[in-house]
Amino acid sequence: MSAPVPPGAPAPPSADEVVLAAEIARRGGDTSRYPGTLSARERLAVLLDEGSFVEDGLLAGSLPADGVITGVGTIEGRPVAVIAHDFGVKAGSWGELTCEKQIRILERADRDLLPVFYLVDSAGGRLTEQMGFFPGRRGASAIFRLQVALSGRVPQICCLHGPSAAGGAYMPAFTDWVGMVEGRASMFLASPRVAEKVTGERTTPEEMGGARMHAEVSGCGDSVFDEDWQAIAAARLLFDYLPADWTQRPALAEPVEPEVLDWSGVIPDDPVTGYDVVEVIDRLVDAGTFFEIKPDWAQEIVVGLARLEGRVVGLVANQPEVRSGAIHVDSADKAARFVSWCDAFNIPLLFLQDVPGFMVGVAVERQGIIRHGAKLIAAMSSAEVPKFSIILRKAYAAGFYAMCAPGFEPRATIALPTAFIGAMGPEASVNAVYARKIAEMPDEAERAATVARLVEEHRAEINLLRMASDLVVDTVVPPEELRTELAVRLRHAENWTRSAPRRHHIVSPV
């Protein structure tokens, strides 16, 4: 067991970090030229198995590889296609042959069902060659068409090491995951200089499209890293959870006991007291396997991949310590996209419910909370992978629906003894039904006693035993038995199949 880290001291590097740092040094990577900055070929050396890369189009054009390195290599023996922009060649900008090379490798990925890794570092299109890269059938638009064609068929993983400007900003946007290097990575459709000309706004590249902005505000980025190699290490780790393509299922791994086994005091009995749902996840999944997606954006909901007794699962969990876990516009989008991603790649879903409902009020209604909530419900309802709904504590209103209520056919609805399901909380329900009658009582003590009695009557009417007897809940288990319960049910669901196609696709809420 490692020694504890003193307060304020940096965390020691993980085993993966030590291995990758040694690999960079062994392969000649010079990390001292700029703090953490690697060349395009050094980045590929960190990403791919040694000696596995076969490059295409090395001699294209009059510039070295015409500013983009493309080809096929392996990661832990698994074949992948790669696109790596070389910022040392015309700032990684796109010309006619740059686009052609990227189109060709994406066509190969489409034909051979190869996962695609994008190491993006490009200033955008070369305006001196715009007739080559911009308007035609083999221009930049074909790249995006192919990315969309590949979506949901193979994993597409992006490490954003530098700029991704103008139309090129859509390359990361069409991938499944974007890891951004702080201080260097950026995405924007127009530079601050252009934006000032058009709108009069004065800003900086970091404020307009930097890593922190996209990871915390826009949601276009997934995670932020200090160094190039850290983003690549995370991309490699993420790939380990995913199948090679949509026809396969994630590989099994050796089971590992959770990091923590003691559930004492994790979930407070009081339904309005906050707690960190990640502590629940840490007690459910194999130690060290939780890979959170978009951890800094829409934090009232937590999504990520993990292993449970060696099986890959996707987790969607309300976060009671942030905004009480209520579902907002961004968190509905965050969860909807994650659910669709898991369904595309055959990853079972666990919904951990502690939700007071969707957020209400003028502001969120104007933002379209109904429309965004409908996207989440549509994605969850459409997912055909095995789904399990776990009621940790409260499950109220349409939030209960969005987190996979029984009407959406989860394999099972499992409740902890702290669970309570209802259209609204007992206090709110009593207020809604009896507000006028209670207000008419002249004696304050009588009002308080009446409210307390009605609340208890409401609790008794829809308690867990009633829910179980009406088949709303399939089983009630103590927290320390929840992992075992889920593991057994996941094993029993191994032979799941999809239904026959009945239509082209749903018409998704915008």
Side-chain angles (χ1 to χ4, degrees):
M1 185 173 180
S2 59
V5 180
S14 68
D16 283 343
E17 290 172 346
V18 172
V19 169
L20 280 164
E23 280 293 287
I24 293 173
R26 186 172 66 81
R27 299 181 191 183
D30 181 6
T31 60
S32 63
R33 294 175 302 130
Y34 304 102
T37 302
L38 303 176
S39 71
R41 294 190 181 276
E42 288 169 339
R43 292 166 185 164
L44 284 173
V46 176
L47 176 68
L48 300 172
D49 298 339
E50 187 173 9
S52 70
F53 184 50
V54 178
E55 185 172 354
D56 296 325
L58 172 62
L59 303 179
S62 58
L63 300 168
D66 208 57
V68 65
I69 304 165
T70 61
V72 174
T74 62
I75 296 175
E76 299 295 333
R78 302 169 70 192
V80 298
V82 295
I83 290 173
H85 300 138
D86 190 344
F87 200 76
V89 179
K90 289 281 188 179
S93 58
W94 296 7
E96 180 177 1
L97 293 180
T98 322
C99 287
E100 180 65 23
K101 288 179 65 175
Q102 293 177 98
I103 290 167
R104 288 187 183 192
I105 194 63
L106 291 175
E107 287 173 338
R108 179 172 176 185
D110 187 49
R111 181 178 65 247
D112 295 352
L113 280 182
L114 292 174
V116 185
F117 281 76
Y118 302 81
L119 306 184
V120 175
D121 195 348
S122 170
R126 287 179 212 148
L127 296 182
T128 54
E129 296 184 36
Q130 65 174 297
M131 287 307 295
F133 81 83
F134 180 66
R137 285 181 174 268
R138 302 290 287 188
S141 60
I143 295 173
F144 307 141
R145 174 183 60 80
L146 285 162
Q147 285 190 277
V148 172
L150 287 164
S151 180
R153 298 185 71 231
V154 297
Q156 297 186 83
I157 298 174
C158 174
C159 296
L160 188 49
H161 298 280
S164 181
Y170 282 105
M171 176 171 274
F174 288 125
T175 65
D176 300 326
W177 180 88
V178 181
M180 302 181 71
V181 179
E182 188 164 19
R184 296 192 294 278
S186 61
M187 283 188 279
F188 40 69
L189 296 180
S191 69
R193 184 173 60 183
V194 172
E196 183 179 355
K197 288 284 187 183
V198 175
T199 68
E201 294 177 313
R202 290 190 174 185
T203 185
T204 64
E206 194 66 25
E207 182 184 19
M208 188 173 191
R212 285 287 166 197
M213 192 287 286
H214 281 304
E216 297 173 3
V217 181
S218 77
C220 292
D222 284 270
S223 288
V224 178
F225 302 92
D226 294 327
E227 313 285 2
D228 281 353
W229 72 266
Q230 292 174 333
I232 297 170
R236 286 173 55 107
L237 178 60
L238 175 61
F239 187 47
D240 190 51
Y241 292 84
L242 300 171
D245 62 68
W246 69 287
T247 67
Q248 301 181 37
R249 297 187 181 179
L252 293 173
E254 285 297 318
V256 181
E257 281 292 299
E259 290 178 354
V260 188
L261 298 175
D262 183 11
W263 283 82
S264 302
V266 174
I267 303 175
D269 291 332
D270 180 5
V272 299
T273 300
Y275 65 94
D276 185 0
V277 78
V278 175
E279 292 191 15
V280 172
I281 293 171
D282 286 342
R283 286 159 173 77
L284 282 182
V285 303
D286 296 5
T289 65
F290 182 50
F291 190 108
E292 189 170 356
I293 304 296
K294 300 187 187 298
D296 300 318
W297 183 58
Q299 293 179 321
E300 63 273 10
I301 205 158
V302 173
V303 301
L305 302 174
R307 291 186 181 274
L308 200 158
E309 287 204 345
R311 290 175 175 79
V312 176
V313 293
L315 294 124
V316 181
N318 307 115
Q319 178 56 290
E321 75 172 8
V322 179
R323 296 173 165 182
S324 300
I327 301 172
H328 288 243
V329 168
D330 284 345
S331 46
D333 285 354
K334 173 179 172 179
R337 187 178 190 275
F338 178 75
V339 166
S340 293
W341 187 40
C342 288
D343 187 53
F345 293 112
N346 307 313
I347 298 171
L349 285 158
L350 308 182
F351 293 85
L352 304 180
Q353 294 207 41
D354 194 339
V355 59
F358 282 88
M359 187 59 189
V360 298
V362 173
V364 292
E365 293 293 356
R366 288 173 178 265
Q367 292 165 8
I369 187 67
I370 297 170
R371 175 166 47 85
H372 290 271
K375 282 197 288 188
L376 170 53
I377 292 173
M380 178 272 301
S381 182
S382 300
E384 293 192 308
V385 294
K387 296 176 288 192
F388 298 88
S389 187
I390 301 100
I391 318 299
L392 301 177
R393 198 170 55 171
K394 59 187 177 294
Y396 294 162
F400 175 50
Y401 288 177
M403 294 292 290
C404 200
F408 295 98
E409 298 187 330
R411 294 298 181 104
T413 300
I414 303 166
L416 299 188
T418 45
F420 186 90
I421 301 168
M424 58 180 69
E427 294 80 4
S429 181
V430 167
N431 181 66
V433 176
Y434 300 105
R436 180 175 297 179
K437 177 181 177 181
I438 293 168
E440 290 172 352
M441 293 180 178
D443 184 72
E444 185 175 339
E446 182 185 2
R447 285 200 305 271
T450 300
V451 168
R453 175 178 57 79
L454 292 171
V455 166
E456 286 307 310
E457 288 176 0
H458 182 82
R459 287 185 187 278
E461 182 182 359
I462 54 174
N463 64 19
L464 271 182
L465 287 177
R466 169 72 183 275
M467 291 288 175
S469 66
D470 288 345
L471 295 181
V472 174
V473 168
D474 290 292
T475 187
V476 180
V477 299
E480 55 272 12
E481 294 179 15
L482 181 56
R483 172 180 161 89
T484 300
E485 180 79 22
L486 288 169
V488 170
R489 290 180 180 272
L490 283 164
R491 285 200 296 272
H492 290 169
E494 276 185 347
N495 294 326
W496 68 274
T497 58
R498 293 186 182 271
S499 60
R502 293 173 294 173
R503 59 189 168 193
H504 300 305
H505 52 74
I506 69 165
V507 178
S508 176
V510 176

